[in-house]
Amino acid sequence: MSNVTSNRIAYYRYGGPDVLCWEPEELSAPGVGEVRIRQEMIGVNPVDWKMVAGYFRHTDRVPFPHVPGWAGTGVVEAVGTGVAHLHIGDPVIAGARGGAFREHLVVDASLVVSRPDSLSIEQAAGLPSSAVAGYSLVENLDVAAGDTLLVHGAAGSVGSAAVQVAVSRGAEVIGTASAGNHDYLRSLGAVAVEYGPGLLDSLRRHRPIDAVADAVGGRETVAVTREVLGTRGRAVTAWGDPHSDAAGIPWVRHPADELEQTVALAARGVVNVRIGATFPLARAVDALTFSQTGHPAGKILLVP
Ligand SMILES: NC(=O)c1ccc[n+]([C@@H]2O[C@H](COP(=O)([O-])OP(=O)(O)OC[C@H]3O[C@@H](n4cnc5c(N)ncnc54)[C@H](OP(=O)(O)O)[C@@H]3O)[C@@H](O)[C@H]2O)c1
């Protein structure tokens, strides 16, 4: 198995998206337990710009140069020793832990699952990290028929997956979003409410809420969660911060096997990723700048 010449997006210091650069690299053959993937599409997640900005510099310091990217899909082009479940030519989805913003990706095979024929390349690239987190929120809350679930940030990539999984389990779902996303939330089977100053009043008009999946975080959102649940109910967040910590709301960070379960749900049409915008990989600066707005109206994708 030979080396391959490729291109990647890398950064050499923390900062805004403009610290990213497009550069060539030489990738070696995959090592023990690894595969090399020729990537067809890459998913962008808010964690990408947050890592570039150094949000996790005190807990998960990265060695420079670092390559962003937690999601990709493509075709296996080389297999390291000790990998039995993947073969050259297999279409796959990778839930990487950083490093996916590159044309060819060498990755631990345990983070890679097969891409079902029924999934488009766009859908496949949109699943790792965000849709997996949405699934994981609902799973951790043990949402079932008869529950009323509030999803904060229901129109986002995490929240919309949580809505779809919870609806498929027979739960009543109330989702917060800005008015422009309310038709979208209704199309997923959720009741749409606007976030902001009137949120608590809107929620009081609905059934008592049993559980909250928070895909937003922050002081106001956590305060609403505590208010609607009182001393009862269950809550988890996809964005752990000092406010959710202080309120005792656990931060769900999904284990790798939940990628497989999320992919299976997507293959059955239970989870559908809304696609927001697509950029060439070389324009990752623009993609992360767009992600930073917090209102991308769908998954942002990169094409190598
Ligand atoms: N724990 C994990 O494993 C994991 C994995 C992936 C992501 N995350 C985190 O989860 C969060 C969401 O990620 P994402 O991929 O869903 O982001 P996204 O696709 O960019 O969506 C963000 C959403 O937040 C909504 N929003 C913004 N402010 C809001 C508010 N105050 N109340 C309610 N909704 C609000 C926006 O809705 P409008 O446009 O309608 O305003 C938008 O739909 C991020 O913090 C991300 O870092 C965690």
Side-chain angles (χ1 to χ4, degrees):
M1 281 179 290
S2 57
N3 290 2
V4 67
T5 303
S6 181
N7 290 293
R8 69 181 186 185
I9 293 288
Y11 59 107
Y12 289 74
R13 62 181 171 86
Y14 292 122
D18 57 356
V19 300
L20 298 177
C21 60
W22 171 247
E23 62 183 23
E25 67 176 340
E26 185 82 7
L27 280 177
S28 57
V32 177
E34 293 179 334
V35 291
R36 194 174 70 216
I37 299 166
R38 179 181 52 76
Q39 297 221 87
E40 295 171 303
M41 194 83 76
I42 295 158
V44 174
N45 288 280
V47 70
D48 299 320
W49 67 259
K50 290 175 182 177
M51 286 198 75
V52 174
Y55 273 42
F56 310 106
R57 73 175 82 195
H58 300 301
T59 48
D60 291 313
R61 203 172 175 82
V62 296
F64 292 124
H66 188 251
V67 176
W70 285 50
T73 189
V75 175
V76 174
E77 61 176 10
V79 180
T81 53
V83 178
H85 71 295
L86 297 170
H87 306 93
I88 291 174
D90 284 353
V92 291
I93 303 173
R97 296 279 185 264
F101 282 15
R102 40 178 30 119
E103 293 170 334
H104 298 258
L105 171 66
V106 175
V107 63
D108 190 321
S110 69
L111 302 174
V112 177
V113 303
S114 294
R115 185 175 75 204
D117 291 342
S118 60
L119 272 189
S120 69
I121 289 172
E122 288 83 359
Q123 288 290 311
L127 291 171
S129 192
S130 50
V132 179
Y135 166 81
S136 200
L137 291 172
V138 173
E139 182 69 11
N140 275 272
L141 289 168
D142 201 18
V143 172
D147 282 335
T148 299
L149 172 72
L150 170 65
V151 179
H152 291 295
S157 294
V158 174
S160 58
V163 169
Q164 293 172 80
V165 176
V167 166
S168 77
R169 292 179 177 204
E172 298 286 327
V173 181
I174 302 168
T176 70
S178 58
N181 277 317
H182 285 195
D183 282 347
Y184 170 60
L185 289 193
R186 285 191 277 268
S187 77
L188 301 181
V191 172
V193 292
E194 195 148 6
Y195 59 81
L199 176 57
L200 267 176
D201 287 338
S202 306
L203 293 174
R204 285 195 188 101
R205 280 182 233 123
H206 295 281
R207 293 171 41 162
I209 289 162
D210 303 298
V212 179
D214 184 358
V216 178
R219 184 192 305 276
E220 289 81 13
T221 307
V222 169
V224 169
T225 299
R226 274 293 144 237
E227 188 68 29
V228 297
L229 290 178
T231 52
R232 44 177 275 290
R234 301 104 72 191
V236 288
T237 185
W239 180 241
D241 61 18
H243 306 290
S244 47
D245 280 356
I249 299 173
W251 186 1
V252 167
R253 299 170 108 172
H254 44 82
D257 65 347
E258 292 191 338
L259 173 60
E260 189 143 25
Q261 293 160 41
T262 308
V263 168
L265 287 177
R268 283 174 35 217
V270 172
V271 171
N272 202 309
V273 178
R274 179 169 62 152
I275 306 302
T278 304
F279 296 84
L281 175 57
R283 282 183 52 209
V285 174
D286 297 333
L288 290 208
T289 303
F290 187 39
S291 176
Q292 262 185 326
T293 65
H295 307 279
K299 172 59 65 179
I300 302 169
L301 298 170
L302 296 168
V303 186

